[in-house]
Amino acid sequence: MSNHPIILFDGICNLCNGAVQYVIKKDPSAKFKFSSLQSETGQKLLSDYQVETNNFNSFVLIQNGKVYFKSTAALKVARQLNGAMKLLYGFIIVPAFIRDSIYNVISNNRYKWFGKKEECMLPGPALETRFVK
């Protein structure tokens, strides 16, 4: 589908949509492509990589034929962005079960804390090329 790393995100989550906007801003070379987990493309990618297709609680990164989830995916993305955010990659030394327990608290409360949309975000013409079809 793409030679670019692909980020799959919860398309109705305000926090997730904000994270996508942040990545777009800090990725001026347009390395990353995006798709919502709920979209037809997102569902196909999950299926292609034999990942559960009805769980929208994880941030997913597909890069170089590998799939990363939750905090590992987020840290691998952060490492590739411009600016100080890449310093967060240092947390990769923390065992995944600890990082993911914090991730899970945020993920399980994201709608309550940040709200959600009724429908997935549709990219405008300026961002259309950043989304995988």
Side-chain angles (χ1 to χ4, degrees):
M1 283 210 146
S2 175
N3 291 327
H4 294 267
I6 301 171
I7 295 172
L8 302 176
F9 65 100
D10 179 351
I12 63 169
C13 168
N14 287 338
L15 173 64
C16 305
N17 280 289
V20 167
Q21 294 300 319
Y22 183 83
V23 171
I24 289 169
K25 180 178 169 188
K26 295 295 183 177
D27 176 32
S29 64
K31 173 191 278 193
F32 290 101
K33 300 291 183 180
F34 306 90
S35 183
S36 75
L37 290 160
Q38 296 93 334
S39 71
E40 187 177 317
T41 301
Q43 289 289 293
K44 179 169 179 2
L45 284 165
L46 292 172
S47 180
D48 288 350
Y49 285 91
Q50 300 169 348
V51 176
E52 186 178 343
T53 59
N54 62 351
N55 180 358
F56 304 125
N57 284 336
S58 184
F59 180 83
V60 179
L61 171 65
I62 300 171
Q63 187 169 22
N64 298 326
K66 295 182 182 175
V67 181
Y68 303 96
F69 302 96
K70 299 185 178 188
S71 65
T72 302
L75 291 173
K76 286 188 173 287
V77 169
R79 181 183 196 187
Q80 299 173 69
L81 298 178
N82 288 348
M85 184 63 73
K86 65 176 56 189
L87 298 175
L88 290 177
Y89 188 74
F91 285 105
I92 202 77
I93 66 169
V94 175
F97 77 92
I98 295 172
R99 287 186 278 114
D100 285 345
S101 65
I102 295 166
Y103 180 98
N104 289 337
V105 168
I106 296 167
S107 177
N108 292 335
N109 291 287
R110 69 191 187 280
Y111 296 148
K112 181 170 47 170
W113 294 344
F114 301 98
K116 66 180 183 175
K117 301 176 183 316
E118 292 298 316
E119 296 178 357
C120 290
M121 173 187 83
L122 293 175
L127 297 178
E128 201 169 328
T129 61
R130 299 296 302 268
F131 286 78
V132 182
K133 294 180 183 180

